[in-house]
């Protein structure tokens, strides 16, 4: 990771870190992946019906997917999953640790590769998410965003939300898990997301509802001096 003094910017109320793909790669190499969970995320399991709309065989996008167990969990429910992850180590560890047979193709239109499970249920694009739509032209029924918007640099949030909307089919849904903590105490990522931001970014197209604010204060946050750390689950349904 780059020196935090050089990659920290001032905002009105806080300081925050700015990471590029190389910084993320270095974090993966150093094993700094405190965001990773060894089980499917309980909030995904709880709100899976919201994500899928109760429908079978949905096509679901997981941006900034890491090596999340959620990729496999959603695919195991009979859906098709496309993940996007910039760091090759994460993608390789996902397929290896989950014992999923895969093939790899180099992308010709953008820098990156696509890894596909042999059963065709899971594809992971190893590329910068901001390049993804230059290679991938189909639309998704739903977007599952856990630790993705909160990992995006704050100045790129609008661009990221515009991209997610452009990749989503009419009638699509999104489940977005953001985090809420005292931003004066931690520069992120995960970046603190004020609850009003989601309607601001997505409200022109989606009805936005908060499903839950879940207390997720783990030891790693207490050690940084945080006294509260909530995961906030937003549900978005296309107005059309
Ligand atoms: C906080 S982690 C979350 C991973 C996953 N969603 C999870 O819940 O475990 C964010 C991930 O996004 C990846 N990433 C960061 N910037 C990216 C970018 N511009 N394009 C694609 N992936 C990116 C990082 O390598 C990292 O694995």
């Amino acid at each position: 990771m780059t020196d935090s003094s050089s990659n920290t910017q001032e905002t009105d109320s806080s300081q925050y870190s700015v990471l590029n793909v190389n910084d993320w790669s270095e974090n993966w190499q150093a094993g700094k992946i405190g965001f990773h969970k060894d089980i499917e995320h309980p909030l995904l399991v709880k709100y899976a019906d919201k994500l899928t709309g109760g429908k079978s065989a949905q096509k679901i996008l997981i941006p900034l997917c890491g090596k999340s167990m959620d990729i496999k969990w959603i695919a195991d429910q009979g859906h098709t999953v496309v993940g996007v992850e910039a760091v090759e180590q994460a993608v390789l560890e996902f397929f290896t640790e989950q014992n999923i047979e895969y093939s790899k193709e180099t992308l010709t239109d953008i820098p990156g590769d696509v890894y596909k499970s042999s059963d065709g249920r899971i594809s992971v694009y190893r590329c910068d998410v901001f390049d993804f739509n230059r290679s991938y032209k189909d639309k998704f029924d739903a977007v599952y965003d856990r630790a993705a918007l909160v990992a995006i640099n704050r100045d790129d949030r609008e661009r990221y939300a515009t991209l997610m909307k452009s990749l989503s089919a009419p009638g699509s849904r999104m489940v977005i898990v953001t985090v809420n903590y005292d931003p004066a105490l931690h520069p992120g990522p995960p970046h603190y997301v004020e609850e009003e931001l989601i309607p601001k970014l997505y409200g022109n197209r989606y009805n936005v509802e908060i499903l839950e604010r879940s207390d997720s204060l783990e030891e790693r946050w207490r050690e940084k001096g945080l006294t509260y750390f909530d995961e906030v689950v937003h549900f978005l349904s296309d107005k059309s």
Side-chain angles (χ1 to χ4, degrees):
M1 203 194 305
T2 40
D3 171 14
S4 62
S5 60
S6 66
N7 67 3
T8 300
Q9 295 183 359
E10 288 278 336
T11 64
D12 294 340
S13 57
S14 64
Q15 293 196 318
Y16 62 90
S17 301
V18 176
L19 271 65
N20 61 32
V21 166
N22 284 339
D23 299 324
W24 283 103
S25 184
E26 286 175 20
N27 282 349
W28 274 96
Q29 274 169 43
K32 291 186 192 165
I33 54 165
F35 53 80
H36 178 71
K37 294 202 176 307
D38 284 330
I39 53 161
E40 57 275 6
H41 199 295
L43 293 171
L44 167 65
V45 177
K46 186 167 178 184
Y47 295 113
D49 279 354
K50 289 281 192 186
L51 183 68
T52 63
K55 299 178 191 164
S56 59
Q58 295 291 282
K59 195 164 157 169
I60 298 184
L61 172 64
I62 309 188
L64 280 67
C65 62
K67 59 171 180 174
S68 170
M69 302 285 290
D70 300 342
I71 304 169
K72 183 169 184 301
W73 189 84
I74 294 173
D76 285 347
Q77 313 305 305
H79 306 290
T80 304
V81 180
V82 177
V84 183
E85 167 57 52
V87 177
E88 182 180 42
Q89 178 182 341
V91 183
L92 291 174
E93 287 183 9
F94 169 72
F95 283 100
T96 309
E97 291 173 8
Q98 302 311 315
N99 285 317
I100 299 173
E101 268 186 47
Y102 67 93
S103 59
K104 173 185 170 184
E105 287 164 38
T106 300
L107 298 170
T108 51
D109 30 21
I110 57 169
D113 310 290
V114 57
Y115 294 73
K116 293 184 179 167
S117 66
S118 307
D119 67 6
R121 284 265 166 80
I122 298 173
S123 306
V124 180
Y125 281 70
R126 201 275 307 156
C127 65
D128 190 321
V129 73
F130 292 109
D131 288 337
F132 177 62
N133 64 339
R134 289 197 285 121
S135 180
Y136 194 89
K137 299 297 175 196
D138 226 347
K139 303 278 186 206
F140 291 92
D141 299 312
V143 175
Y144 172 59
D145 176 328
R146 185 261 165 179
L149 173 64
V150 300
I152 291 287
N153 294 323
R154 293 174 64 113
D155 288 349
D156 292 328
R157 285 170 166 177
E158 275 197 24
R159 189 176 160 216
Y160 169 82
T162 301
L163 173 65
M164 291 301 120
K165 286 183 273 190
S166 76
L167 288 162
S168 298
S172 54
R173 300 160 302 278
M174 298 192 192
V175 170
I176 304 177
V177 183
T178 61
V179 293
N180 181 24
Y181 59 84
D182 181 348
L185 297 176
H186 179 54
H191 295 292
Y192 158 82
V193 168
E194 48 285 11
E195 289 182 0
E196 312 78 67
L197 183 71
I198 302 300
K200 212 168 133 197
L201 292 177
Y202 291 101
N204 60 344
R205 174 158 167 201
Y206 291 88
N207 292 314
V208 179
E209 183 189 342
I210 290 180
L211 297 177
E212 179 167 342
R213 295 175 185 85
S214 170
D215 176 4
S216 303
L217 185 63
E218 297 169 3
E219 195 47 38
R220 65 188 174 117
W221 302 123
R222 279 207 186 87
E223 282 167 9
K224 289 183 194 288
L226 302 189
T227 52
Y228 65 93
F229 186 97
D230 296 335
E231 288 183 291
V232 183
V233 186
H234 309 257
F235 174 60
L236 281 58
S237 55
D238 194 339
K239 291 175 182 169
S240 66

